[in-house]
């Protein structure tokens, strides 16, 4: 699908950058005029994916997280969060609700469940010791159909 | 992200404000747990009315505080989360452990 506009940026896997990544995504999406709810959904999904890269991907090593946001034709938002961290052995298991490898840090194990619930589609590609790429899509409502 | 702690009889109220994520949750957790240890409240109320953003890190925070309160025989409630934050809470099923309610007004408190 045709890309109307896009932004790509990368940042060190520091937890303080979770907020920064959400702020950049919000700023980029202003041009698409999403509803408050749509924007909240996307911000939450981005936060989950970026936090996963920081907490799990780069658990014991430092590295960069790359975030790419595209506005596609037909008001579809494409988001890709990529890390070169430890990767996931069993993606299917990792996506099970309440499954977490960091219970001592009070991780609820709901990251992927939130992404799946708030976005139209979520795809995870991962290879142990090579990294993880999460791709998400969400189609925004037509502006003319909106009541708010 | 900030938390203001308030004591009302045997209830500890934690008024949260700002964005609640994995980064900000750490200091909040420590502040609340320190106050719980000192005051041994029978009820912990987490006031979410001033929270502007929350991802699943917030669920971890509530879940962890439920465990802490359970350990001292107390309960945990969540006050007034904004609509989009309530959606994350619903998805997690956290309501089974911490009731979601609106903050009782002063008059209601008196008749309790």
């Amino acid at each position: 699908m045709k890309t109307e506009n896009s932004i790509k940026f990368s940042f060190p896997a520091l937890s303080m950058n979770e907020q920064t990544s959400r702020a950049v995504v919000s700023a980029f999406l202003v041009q698409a005029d999403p509803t408050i709810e749509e924007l909240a959904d996307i911000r939450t999904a981005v936060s989950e994916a970026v936090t996963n890269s920081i907490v799990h991907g780069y658990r014991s090593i430092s590295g960069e997280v790359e975030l790419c946001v595209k506005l596609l034709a037909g008001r579809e938002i494409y988001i890709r969060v990529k890390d070169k961290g430890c990767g996931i052995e069993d993606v299917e298991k990792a996506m099970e609700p309440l499954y977490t490898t960091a219970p001592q840090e009070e991780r609820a194990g709901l990251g992927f469940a939130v992404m799946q619930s708030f976005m139209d589609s979520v795809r995870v590609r991962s290879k142990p010791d090579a990294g993880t790429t999460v791709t998400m899509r969400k189609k925004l409502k037509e502006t003319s159909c909106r009541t708010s | 992200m900030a938390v203001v702690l308030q004591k009302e009889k045997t209830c500890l109220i934690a008024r949260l404000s700002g964005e609640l994520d994995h980064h900000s949750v750490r200091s909040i957790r420590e502040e609340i747990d320190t106050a719980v240890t000192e005051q041994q409240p029978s009820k912990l109320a987490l006031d979410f009315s001033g929270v502007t953003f929350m991802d699943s890190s917030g669920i971890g925070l509530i879940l962890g505080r439920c465990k802490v309160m359970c350990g001292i025989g107390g309960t945990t409630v969540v006050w007034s989360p904004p609509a989009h934050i309530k959606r994350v809470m619903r998805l997690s099923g956290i309501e089974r452990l911490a009731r979601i309610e609106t903050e009782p007004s002063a008059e209601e408190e008196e008749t309790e």
Side-chain angles (χ1 to χ4, degrees), chain B residues 50-78:
Chain B
V51 179
T52 53
F53 172 86
M54 184 190 91
D55 62 16
S56 68
S57 309
I59 300 301
L61 176 80
I62 302 171
L63 205 61
R65 304 299 66 71
C66 284
K67 279 186 195 158
V68 170
M69 285 306 291
C70 202
I72 60 166
T75 55
T76 307
V77 293
V78 171

Side-chain angles (χ1 to χ4, degrees), chain A:
Chain A
M1 200 171 281
K2 192 174 167 276
T3 302
E4 291 183 345
N5 197 2
S6 66
I7 186 174
K8 188 157 84 177
F9 60 103
S10 61
F11 48 90
L14 303 171
S15 64
M16 64 184 69
N17 287 332
E18 291 154 8
Q19 186 173 18
T20 313
S21 65
R22 294 194 300 271
V24 174
V25 170
S26 301
F28 177 79
L29 290 177
V30 166
Q31 63 194 300
D33 190 24
T35 62
I36 291 170
E37 193 178 300
E38 286 168 338
L39 186 62
D41 286 358
I42 296 170
R43 277 163 55 84
T44 311
V46 166
S47 194
E48 297 292 354
V50 168
T51 304
N52 271 354
S53 286
I54 293 171
V55 175
H56 301 290
Y58 295 117
R59 167 161 298 253
S60 47
I61 46 167
S62 55
E64 295 267 312
V65 180
E66 184 196 276
L67 181 49
C68 172
V69 189
K70 290 181 190 176
L71 173 59
L72 307 175
R75 295 179 58 72
E76 190 173 18
I77 308 298
Y78 167 98
I79 289 169
R80 191 181 68 217
V81 179
K82 190 173 170 183
D83 69 63
K84 289 182 178 159
C86 67
I88 305 167
E89 199 86 49
D90 186 342
V91 172
E92 214 173 306
K93 188 158 186 68
M95 291 181 82
E96 278 174 20
L98 305 178
Y99 176 80
T100 183
T101 51
Q104 71 285 359
E105 289 170 45
E106 295 191 344
R107 303 301 306 158
L110 290 168
F112 283 119
V114 168
M115 289 181 237
Q116 284 171 321
S117 168
F118 290 178
M119 300 295 283
D120 295 342
S121 73
V122 180
R123 206 182 62 173
V124 184
R125 274 183 304 151
S126 191
K127 206 173 155 192
D129 301 321
T132 302
T133 302
V134 175
T135 315
M136 305 182 277
R137 286 168 185 263
K138 187 179 183 73
K139 207 167 157 53
L140 304 180
K141 286 184 203 112
E142 291 303 326
T143 39
S144 57
C145 305
R146 296 198 333 229
T147 47
S148 57

Side-chain angles (χ1 to χ4, degrees), chain B residues 65-110:
Chain B
R65 304 299 66 71
C66 284
K67 279 186 195 158
V68 170
M69 285 306 291
C70 202
I72 60 166
T75 55
T76 307
V77 293
V78 171
W79 282 350
S80 314
H84 54 276
I85 289 171
K86 209 179 210 172
R87 288 182 59 215
V88 182
M89 291 180 179
R90 287 260 155 81
L91 179 75
S92 72
I94 194 79
E95 293 150 289
R96 279 172 292 178
L97 294 168
R99 219 170 50 222
I100 299 174
E101 52 189 44
T102 47
E103 180 177 351
S105 62
E107 299 92 68
E108 279 176 284
E109 283 283 288
E110 275 166 29

